[in-house]
Amino acid sequence: MSQFTVDVVFFSGTEQFATETYQVSATTWYMAEQQALHMSVGSAYDNSRIPDLNRTANVRAA
């Protein structure tokens, strides 16, 4: 297992409004990305009232 830092960036349409950073243990960068995206569902920023809510994940080695 490797340690990764994943920044999940939240958008309303094309406008960025928040970023949360997660520390993740995973075997690959892809698995770290997927784990952080899954974790971000529990974020206060994951709110169905936000129009056109979407997110991206940026992974880097910790």
Side-chain angles (χ1 to χ4, degrees):
M1 291 286 233
S2 297
Q3 295 295 315
F4 296 92
T5 301
V6 185
D7 297 318
V8 176
V9 183
F10 294 83
F11 294 88
S12 176
T14 59
E15 183 177 333
Q16 177 181 341
F17 68 90
T19 302
E20 284 197 336
T21 301
Y22 298 91
Q23 300 299 317
V24 178
S25 295
T27 54
T28 66
W29 69 269
Y30 177 78
M31 293 303 293
E33 175 186 72
Q34 293 305 303
Q35 191 173 348
L37 287 170
H38 179 71
M39 292 167 66
S40 74
V41 172
S43 169
Y45 301 116
D46 186 306
N47 186 322
S48 62
R49 293 178 290 175
I50 297 170
D52 196 20
L53 176 65
N54 60 82
R55 69 197 87 205
T56 62
N58 303 308
V59 181
R60 61 186 187 276

